[in-house]
Amino acid sequence: MTHRRQFLKYLAASPLLANFSAFAQEVEETLGERLTDPGEVINVFEMEALAREKLPPAHFGYLATGVDSDETIRANRAGFSRFQIKPRRLVDVSDVDTSIDLLGIEAGSPIILCPVGSQGAYHAEAELGSARAAAAKGHHMILSTQSSTSVEAVAEARGAPIWHQLYATNRWENTVQMLQRAEAAGCAAVCLTIDLPGGRNTETQARMTRSDTRDCTVCHTGQLKPMFDGLDMRGASLNNPAMTWEVIGRMKEVTDMKVIIKGVEVAFDAAMAVQSGADGIVVSNHGGRATETGRGTIECLPEVVAAVNGRIPIVIDGGFRRGADVFKALALGAAAVGIGRPYCFGLGAFGQAGVERVLDLLNRELLIAMRGSGTVDIESIGPDYVHDLGQRA
Ligand SMILES: Cc1cc2nc3c(=O)[nH]c(=O)nc-3n(C[C@H](O)[C@H](O)[C@H](O)COP(=O)(O)O)c2cc1C
């Protein structure tokens, strides 16, 4: 065992594994033998380690991967250290309210479940497990185009209006049909993802898939993505490389849903989104899975907030693993914070119960950060509560 710990310490120091935050936390490899109840898991990093133990390598690889050298994944985490929390004392924090109203969506927490595709790869409950956990804990959720479960079933399981994430394919008639389907299912907004116009290089996934000895063709049969049912996808690509800002206006002509733009990282695009009629922005680099920018989303947030200047709400995602991370983003001007991998670690480890545990852990940490900083509700967390150390070297 001592040797194993030493080996894990060696691995933790290795740049090769720096994106596996579980190792950086010195989480033991055999955690799963001891932690059989989600209630015993004490943070998101342990949940990640459990998911890694339980999932087939190819499926965990899909969840964990970034692009190229996973530099942007690391930047998403490293970016938080640029900002420090400035707490205020002797404020009555006996009653702290974490609820939000985001474009008419009321939720008990500012933490949103972001769209993550193919959740059937993590647990048989798939998106239904996530939606039920979101409902049980009062969280808003965004469903992926690439879901393993239909938007109708997920909307019903959530029991409140969700947002639908859209990959506008290169056939406009497909886009229109997906918008109509999401709207008919009761979705309040469509969240158009704009950060994948031209493919990506997911090497961590490729490496882990190579180590998976199972025969994938046994499960990967037929159409696994219900949102594409009835669409003519022959020769169609998931993303449209010709898409430009006018797409927002075109979408608004065919849907009454609000239009949110996901994947904005710079002030120029934030201004373009507002000018083009977007109702909201998600500052996102797809969890380090799109363009290898090397820039964390929390580092992008201040310029986007300045460009938007309060005209539309800003959601941010990428690397949020602690309540304190969420607090920093709210202080910098985000209206809400999205998580992708963390709740899927919970899903992979325990199904719905694991997702609920992840949400409980993050909500508890956020509550502690709010109480500890003297903030009684989300609106009161402003720029005075955060110190910016400036650009990272
Ligand atoms: C396995 C996986 C699948 C994803 N699928 C989608 C998707 O279908 N559509 C989308 O807009 N974003 C997708 N994302 C990005 C997430 O919505 C979110 O931006 C990202 O996961 C946030 O970073 P985090 O995982 O560090 O929390 C995916 C992310 C992961 C990890």
Side-chain angles (χ1 to χ4, degrees), residues 115 117 122 144 165 167 193 262 284 286-287 289 317 319 321 340-341:
Y122 318 131
S144 166
Q165 179 266 329
Y167 284 123
T193 300
K262 177 172 183 279
S284 176
H286 219 111
R289 301 161 74 84
D317 70 29
R321 302 292 181 267
R341 295 182 186 86

Side-chain angles (χ1 to χ4, degrees), residues 45 77 80-81 83-86 111 298 319-332 337 361-370 373 381 385-386:
F45 304 103
R77 290 293 306 141
F80 290 111
S81 61
F83 301 97
Q84 303 169 328
I85 292 174
K86 292 168 70 182
I111 300 168
I298 194 79
F320 289 82
R321 302 292 181 267
R322 289 286 189 188
D325 304 334
V326 175
F327 184 95
K328 289 177 186 178
L330 296 171
L332 289 169
V337 167
L361 287 168
L362 290 175
N363 285 329
R364 176 174 174 270
E365 289 175 6
L366 174 61
L367 205 61
I368 290 170
M370 288 177 70
S373 306
I381 309 174
Y385 292 85
V386 77

Side-chain angles (χ1 to χ4, degrees), residues 35 37-44 46-47 50 350 357 361:
L35 301 187
D37 175 350
E40 294 172 314
V41 178
I42 59 171
N43 60 35
V44 168
E46 283 194 349
M47 201 63 97
L50 288 171
F350 297 105
R357 180 64 181 162
L361 287 168

Side-chain angles (χ1 to χ4, degrees), residues 224-245:
L224 297 170
K225 308 280 165 62
M227 282 313 289
F228 300 134
D229 285 350
L231 301 185
D232 183 1
M233 293 295 288
R234 280 172 304 172
S237 70
L238 197 58
N239 286 286
N240 179 3
M243 194 163 70
T244 61
W245 288 104

